[in-house]
Amino acid sequence: EAHQAPLRGCRIGEFMLRQVAEVGLVRFPDVPCVLLKVREDNLPGQSLYARLGFRRFAVVHEYYDDCDAWDMMLQLGPMLRRPLRADLVARLSGELGFTRAEAEVALRWTRNDFGGALALLTGAVPEFTRISLTYSAQKNIAGT
């Protein structure tokens, strides 16, 4: 397994993630992002994902039996083409002091939801539990 000590540093995980993104974009060109979960205590994994452009956006309590997880997202082409509201970009970057690039990313991720973008930028990320995620998934599958 790639996470075992003798294979660490060989960039196997990076290669695999790059392949997923490249092949995925060809097969599914309209997909706006790649989502993953990583253990809260897996700092090397979080570092790898951040290096490849993933950002943390929510914590999931009790996702693993012994640890919380971070939801991380990598924005892809379709998300980068989402229209932005100039007034919200100006408000976040001008009045509140975030960079224009940070404001644009947050607004794209939240589909121009000012409150959601501000929460992402300030680190006030949503918190979930594994139970609530399971319930939401079951509701979506059932179509209710």
Side-chain angles (χ1 to χ4, degrees):
E1 296 180 1
H3 68 277
Q4 292 179 343
L7 298 175
R8 281 195 189 133
C10 295
R11 300 200 177 276
I12 294 170
E14 183 175 337
F15 173 78
M16 290 171 58
L17 281 170
R18 288 187 190 280
Q19 290 298 308
V20 165
E22 289 174 20
V23 172
L25 276 174
V26 170
R27 292 189 65 193
F28 306 100
D30 296 328
V31 170
C33 61
V34 175
L35 299 171
L36 61 80
K37 287 187 178 24
V38 60
R39 291 178 61 93
E40 189 176 49
D41 61 0
N42 181 356
L43 299 181
Q46 291 178 41
S47 177
L48 165 67
Y49 302 137
R51 199 169 57 246
L52 294 174
F54 284 84
R55 292 197 181 177
R56 297 187 304 193
F57 72 94
V59 65
V60 183
H61 295 292
E62 303 172 9
Y63 183 76
Y64 299 100
D65 290 335
D66 63 338
C67 186
D68 294 341
W70 277 105
D71 272 329
M72 297 185 79
M73 180 192 316
L74 171 67
Q75 59 183 358
L76 301 175
M79 186 177 287
L80 294 171
R81 293 189 293 274
R82 284 183 178 165
L84 295 172
R85 285 187 41 196
D87 61 316
L88 297 180
V89 173
R91 193 167 163 202
L92 288 168
S93 59
E95 295 174 28
L96 298 175
F98 298 102
T99 68
R100 182 174 181 82
E102 290 170 332
E104 289 177 354
V105 166
L107 288 167
R108 280 192 183 100
W109 283 18
T110 61
R111 296 180 185 248
N112 290 308
D113 174 8
F114 182 81
L118 185 59
L120 284 173
L121 291 167
T122 59
V125 296
E127 297 188 23
F128 304 99
T129 63
R130 179 174 54 181
I131 294 168
S132 66
L133 289 175
T134 303
Y135 174 72
S136 296
Q138 288 172 344
K139 281 179 53 177
N140 290 338
I141 290 169
T144 58

